[in-house]
Amino acid sequence: MSAELRIGGESIAPGTRATVELPIPQLYTHTPLTMRVQVVRGRRDGPRLFVCAAVHGDELNGVEIIRRLLRRPALAKLRGTLIAIPIVNVYGVLHHSRYLPDRRDLNRSFPGSGRGSLTAKLADRFMTEIVANCTHGIDLHTAAIHRDNLPQIRGNLDDPETLALARSFGVPVLINAAVRDGSLREAAAALGIPTLLYEAGEALRFAELAIRPGVQGIVNVMRGLGMLPSSRRRRARSEPFVARSSAWVRAPESGMFRAAKPLGARVDRGEQIGTIADPFGDAEIAVTADHSGLVIGRSQLPIVHQGDALFHVARFEDVVEVAQQVEDFQAAHDDG
């Protein structure tokens, strides 16, 4: 990779910080829009890491994670380059929406095309200006609307370099997730760029139990890559657990849903983990776990239809040990 770094036609020199406004298609009101890119370059050469958020416009925890990351004093000692994009899907953020105005999902539209739809153009701009200039990436997400996710890292953990990055992040749960067609991870992988996906919290909400581990996790990855010096106060971190598989427990009937298990809870096969009640009578139906594991995602809606996804349960070799580690992790990041 060339020592020169150019984004949006601007050259960013080593040892400098810069903000680049990448023009993107304007609104139909002729209001101009830009994708803001914040670049921190160390004086010494090293890895180039992109960290992005709000690829889905209603997933906001990552915006706050990047804001706090850029305020870290340790960046004064940076080796290499940090390229931070707090809001990728500007259109979605404006409308509190996961999607773009053309109703397409940006994370199913990479690598995009400069001659395609609005979403394809945005994806193409991001790939050519950001991803192609980097050696590694971290994509910050939350659960979909009306769901909540336990902090977790997803990635192609069969790739040794990606696995090493995932382990260094510092969350207890790692998901070996196949890439989805059109995803940013898939497009980055095609360019040989290892990319992690951090999932935590819910859409349109800030959650400290998602934000704090996200900031610290990115710093941990940067230390692992040699971009930041090691911490003087070394904390012993437990080895994360890789899920063998995961599946959703779905609603057996329609009605009013009451969850009995929180995120991070251990569940046993056949155990009652919730209840669905008839809103017009006294009938209640138990929701039971289809398999043993750990709750890594959960519906937040009390109104459900038959077949709706209620609990996302991951399978582990030692679910008791991972449940204890998740409990310790949550306590460490709890704001009281």
Side-chain angles (χ1 to χ4, degrees):
M1 184 169 286
S2 170
E4 184 185 26
L5 175 60
R6 296 186 67 84
I7 298 177
E10 296 185 29
S11 180
I12 298 100
T16 63
R17 294 180 70 136
T19 298
V20 179
E21 302 284 356
L22 284 179
I24 57 177
Q26 65 186 11
L27 299 178
Y28 55 79
T29 57
H30 287 202
T31 304
L33 287 182
T34 61
M35 184 195 307
R36 175 166 289 195
V37 181
Q38 292 167 277
V39 184
V40 185
R41 292 203 74 184
R43 295 186 182 279
R44 294 177 297 162
D45 196 21
R48 292 182 182 177
L49 173 70
F50 77 80
V51 180
C52 66
V55 167
H56 292 136
D58 58 356
E59 299 182 4
L60 304 179
N61 276 329
V63 181
E64 176 64 7
I65 288 171
I66 291 176
R67 187 190 72 82
R68 296 186 191 184
L69 175 67
L70 290 169
R71 293 166 63 89
R72 284 278 181 136
L75 292 182
K77 301 176 182 178
L78 179 68
R79 174 177 169 265
T81 302
L82 171 65
I83 301 177
I85 311 91
I87 299 176
V88 179
N89 180 1
V90 181
Y91 308 94
V93 171
L94 284 172
H95 295 96
H96 301 177
S97 171
R98 178 184 182 90
Y99 305 105
L100 279 89
D102 58 7
R103 298 301 299 164
R104 287 179 169 88
D105 185 331
L106 181 58
N107 210 30
R108 300 294 179 269
S109 303
F110 288 99
S113 168
R115 302 178 65 182
S117 66
L118 171 65
T119 304
K121 289 179 184 295
L122 186 63
D124 174 71
R125 195 73 194 268
F126 190 82
M127 290 298 299
T128 56
E129 297 282 2
I130 307 300
V131 179
N133 272 313
C134 293
T135 60
H136 302 80
I138 301 176
D139 185 15
L140 306 174
H141 285 261
T142 74
I145 191 76
H146 304 314
R147 292 181 184 173
D148 196 3
N149 273 347
L150 185 76
Q152 59 197 258
I153 285 290
R154 299 182 184 183
N156 175 19
L157 305 185
D158 295 326
D159 172 58
E161 188 172 5
T162 304
L163 177 60
L165 294 177
R167 289 185 185 280
S168 69
F169 197 95
V171 292
V173 174
L174 310 181
I175 309 293
N176 192 5
V179 294
R180 296 198 176 192
D181 291 345
S183 68
L184 175 56
R185 276 203 302 131
E186 180 191 53
L191 297 179
I193 300 169
T195 302
L196 300 180
L197 190 150
Y198 175 64
E199 286 266 5
E202 57 182 308
L204 296 175
R205 298 289 185 274
F206 276 176
E208 286 297 319
L209 284 174
I211 294 168
R212 292 180 182 182
V215 177
Q216 188 58 54
I218 297 168
V219 171
N220 291 342
V221 169
M222 294 175 74
R223 286 175 177 156
L225 289 171
M227 299 177 69
L228 293 176
S230 298
S231 173
R232 293 180 181 177
R233 295 183 300 168
R234 281 187 170 273
R235 296 180 180 177
R237 286 206 307 266
S238 301
E239 188 71 8
F241 292 84
V242 179
R244 294 183 290 121
S245 62
S246 66
W248 281 92
V249 176
R250 297 186 175 275
E253 295 289 345
S254 302
M256 308 299 289
F257 168 60
R258 301 196 308 275
K261 290 288 184 178
L263 287 176
R266 168 193 168 191
V267 300
D268 296 318
R269 182 178 180 181
E271 179 183 2
Q272 182 171 345
I273 55 178
T275 304
I276 296 177
D278 176 0
F280 303 108
D282 298 325
E284 290 191 346
I285 297 172
V287 177
T288 57
D290 300 326
H291 57 274
S292 299
L294 193 85
V295 178
I296 61 170
R298 201 183 77 166
S299 173
Q300 298 289 77
L301 273 179
I303 303 172
V304 300
H305 291 98
Q306 186 178 37
D308 282 354
L310 302 180
F311 293 93
H312 194 191
V313 180
R315 298 180 177 93
F316 296 90
E317 293 291 347
D318 190 340
V319 69
V320 176
E321 188 174 352
V322 69
Q324 181 59 55
Q325 189 166 315
V326 167
E327 185 177 333
D328 295 342
F329 171 84
Q330 290 174 323
H333 292 281
D334 189 5
D335 62 0

